[in-house]
Amino acid sequence: MDLILLAVPFFFVLIAVELVADRVRGQRNFTLADSINSLSTGALSTSTGLLTKGVGLVTYALAFEHLALLQLPAQAGWVWLLAFVLYDFCYYWLHRLGHERNVLWAAHSVHHQSEEYNLTTALRQTSSGFIFSWLFYLPLALLGVPPLVFITVASLNLLYQFWVHTRHIPKLGWLEWVLITPSNHRVHHAQNPAYLDRNYGGVFILWDRLFGTFKEEDPAEPVVFGVTTPLASWNPLWANLQFYAQLWHDARRTTSLWDKLRIWFMPTGWRPADVAARYPQAKQDLALFRKFEIALGRGQQAYVAAQFVVYVALGSYLMDVADRVPAAALVLGWSLMAFGLFVLGALLENRPWSARLELARLCLNAPALYLAGALGLAVVVPLTWLLLVAYSLLSLWGLGLARRPALRAQSTEAPAQPQQAAQRHQAAKHP
């Protein structure tokens, strides 16, 4: 049973509840573009996970089968409890090193790029974390934790972390000493120097208290969310590539062969001396901090939001059928997700070429549906084609309505581009 798939509807219900709480309390913890960007990275991560989950599961199963020192009984309650606690201990070290080593931060930084803090931030996940994360959980296999127990406690750990991404829950008394709470986790997402590199636990704050990485939220030091060098983009693909690109550029620019190799595994923020001298990176002054924002008309926002709902449905469908379709079908599904979410990101950034790219996306729906039928991803019947035509025509009509205000604005003045966009290709170190 896939606990994450079952939880998806509850995620969206709770996000709606938080939106209502925002309205009632007169707060503004959501913006449409930021929320869609967070959810887009989450949808892309989930789709990528359908293709890469074998990396972690297969290696774990092989280690359990051939290297386990014990064989713990899956039916014993104490095994589940022990596995739950040990999983969080392993997660602490994965999470901590994810902030302390360049190549691991390149993957994990995606989760920290949002300058808002709400339940959509919880779903903002990396698509490349699978590359190294499996290594940190091999000790559980060596101890003899059965794969079914491992998979279940991993899902429970991830589900727990959802609710702590909110500003609406204050400190929770004695629980602050034991568990990761919203207050503890707000500190973790801060870019304030006082809060950097703190509170790494997934469920238990005990590890941070034990290993000296705990920091309490201070009312006198309001949390500023985001990364110290902003992403300055609504594109989920660039969100996943940003820091890798920075490392690659620095590795290419340095004249030292040793630095070209070791930069990937050095402490986060480390750069070759010759590159740092020639290409300095200025960090953001929090006193001058302004959230990344691009003005869009209501029609443009409504159009992107409506199209994003389609990709939420596609992502849920892919999760549901993943075990029943061939790998080629999943590759097609991932490609559709990645390209579609890229286009929506371009629309949110109001790129001059975004409307043409959106037209290309709509035109590609027909061959994509044909391939989906050929690969067994979907049952294609005449009604399916009729629905696709109706969707495409409605989308064209909606795109036309959404673009009219933007075209009128462009005829009177050039669209202003935020200064942060100049930082698009810079790396970011975040707590």
Side-chain angles (χ1 to χ4, degrees), residues 112-126:
H112 287 270
Q113 292 161 345
S114 174
E115 294 168 350
E116 305 292 347
Y117 191 74
N118 53 58
L119 292 177
T120 67
T121 311
L123 303 180
R124 185 185 185 95
Q125 298 294 330
T126 177

Side-chain angles (χ1 to χ4, degrees), residues 84-96:
F84 186 77
V85 174
L86 291 180
Y87 181 92
D88 197 64
F89 178 74
C90 294
Y91 174 84
Y92 168 87
W93 287 106
L94 166 62
H95 198 181
R96 179 170 175 172

Side-chain angles (χ1 to χ4, degrees), residues 17-236:
V17 170
E18 190 180 27
L19 276 166
V20 172
D22 260 24
R23 178 64 60 88
V24 170
R25 295 184 173 185
Q27 298 181 11
R28 190 174 181 267
N29 297 325
F30 287 82
T31 64
L32 180 74
D34 177 84
S35 295
I36 288 180
N37 186 235
S38 289
L39 294 173
S40 293
T41 56
L44 185 63
S45 173
T46 300
S47 302
T48 305
L50 298 177
L51 296 172
T52 61
K53 62 182 180 181
V55 174
L57 295 181
V58 172
T59 52
Y60 187 93
L62 288 173
F64 175 79
E65 181 179 355
H66 299 288
L67 301 175
L69 303 175
L70 303 170
Q71 291 290 324
L72 300 180
Q75 67 274 15
W78 67 269
V79 172
W80 289 78
L81 180 60
L82 177 65
F84 186 77
V85 174
L86 291 180
Y87 181 92
D88 197 64
F89 178 74
C90 294
Y91 174 84
Y92 168 87
W93 287 106
L94 166 62
H95 198 181
R96 179 170 175 172
L97 290 176
H99 285 253
E100 295 180 353
R101 286 293 179 267
N102 272 335
V103 72
L104 298 179
W105 173 246
H108 182 61
S109 62
V110 177
H111 182 60
H112 287 270
Q113 292 161 345
S114 174
E115 294 168 350
E116 305 292 347
Y117 191 74
N118 53 58
L119 292 177
T120 67
T121 311
L123 303 180
R124 185 185 185 95
Q125 298 294 330
T126 177
S127 293
S128 61
F130 71 93
I131 298 174
F132 292 106
S133 61
W134 60 274
L135 288 166
F136 290 82
Y137 300 113
L138 289 182
L140 294 177
L142 299 180
L143 288 174
V145 174
L148 176 62
V149 178
F150 168 74
I151 293 170
T152 306
V153 299
S155 297
L156 292 173
N157 188 283
L158 185 61
L159 290 173
Y160 177 90
Q161 294 182 48
F162 177 75
W163 77 284
V164 301
H165 292 82
T166 182
R167 300 189 197 183
H168 288 286
I169 298 177
K171 291 185 179 181
L172 297 176
W174 63 270
L175 290 176
E176 302 289 333
W177 286 84
V178 181
L179 300 175
I180 291 293
T181 64
S183 176
N184 287 332
H185 205 60
R186 286 192 289 268
V187 167
H188 179 68
H189 275 260
Q191 58 173 299
N192 312 53
Y195 293 143
L196 286 175
D197 302 322
R198 301 290 181 173
N199 300 359
Y200 294 117
V203 173
F204 301 108
I205 196 66
L206 297 173
W207 316 124
D208 292 283
R209 292 183 179 276
L210 180 63
F211 296 110
T213 53
F214 171 74
K215 177 68 176 179
E216 184 179 5
E217 185 178 21
D218 184 356
E221 179 79 27
V223 173
V224 179
F225 299 102
V227 288
T228 54
T229 303
L231 173 66
S233 173
W234 300 131
N235 195 295

